[in-house]
Amino acid sequence: MAVAPRHGGFTLFEMLAVMALVAIACTLLGTAAARGLAGARERQAPGELLQELREARVQARRERQRVSVYFDVPALCYRRGTHKPRCLPASLQWHIQVAATPAVAEPAIHFYPDGSSSGGNVRLRMADREQRIDVSWLTGVASLGMARL
């Protein structure tokens, strides 16, 4: 019995096998990308908060009026004045120390026209490290450093 020569192309089984491998690869790649993006957001969060504090100091000096950065501790969010709140990733923890505020007021760091501030610090804890942002009450300068665990 003679077998007819096979013409170019793929069998249905070969196509299904390739499609299954592509689906598995896409799933793995998507999961890894999502984890990578979450990790990147976690790593950049302290720098973004530091930048917000520095911009508040510059704004206070430029506009010659007090500018405040408010902290919504339970929501992991902060905002400068009436600007839209910016929130940290839920995987972070923070501890905020500021000058005494009334019990009903949101914790805040205030920046004054002369460059000084009410001072304070924010400790941000990530899975593998802790960083601390210090705001000098005398100069209003905000700096970022590693904190001891």
Side-chain angles (χ1 to χ4, degrees), residues 96-116:
I96 299 164
Q97 264 186 312
V98 296
T101 56
V104 294
E106 281 182 296
I109 296 178
H110 308 286
F111 294 89
Y112 303 107
D114 64 358
S116 66

Side-chain angles (χ1 to χ4, degrees), residues 21-35:
L21 289 173
V22 168
I24 291 169
C26 287
T27 301
L28 293 174
L29 182 63
T31 303
R35 252 189 261 126

Side-chain angles (χ1 to χ4, degrees), residues 5-125:
R6 190 171 163 196
H7 297 288
F10 300 101
T11 65
L12 179 59
F13 179 74
E14 291 170 332
M15 291 297 289
L16 289 175
V18 169
M19 289 175 62
L21 289 173
V22 168
I24 291 169
C26 287
T27 301
L28 293 174
L29 182 63
T31 303
R35 252 189 261 126
L37 288 174
R41 175 75 178 110
E42 187 177 282
R43 285 187 300 278
Q44 75 184 26
E48 290 177 356
L49 176 55
L50 177 67
Q51 185 63 30
E52 190 74 21
L53 292 166
R54 288 177 174 170
E55 288 175 7
R57 180 176 182 265
V58 169
Q59 181 183 354
R61 294 188 71 188
R62 183 182 62 239
E63 296 177 1
R64 300 186 198 293
Q65 63 181 356
R66 185 180 86 175
V67 175
S68 303
V69 176
Y70 298 96
F71 300 95
D72 183 349
V73 178
L76 284 173
C77 297
Y78 58 91
R79 75 179 194 293
R80 178 171 25 128
T82 58
H83 291 178
K84 180 181 172 187
R86 297 178 75 177
C87 297
L88 301 173
S91 58
L92 291 179
Q93 297 174 345
W94 68 353
H95 177 73
I96 299 164
Q97 264 186 312
V98 296
T101 56
V104 294
E106 281 182 296
I109 296 178
H110 308 286
F111 294 89
Y112 303 107
D114 64 358
S116 66
S117 75
S118 60
N121 65 63
V122 180
R123 295 173 76 97
L124 296 165
R125 182 176 295 225

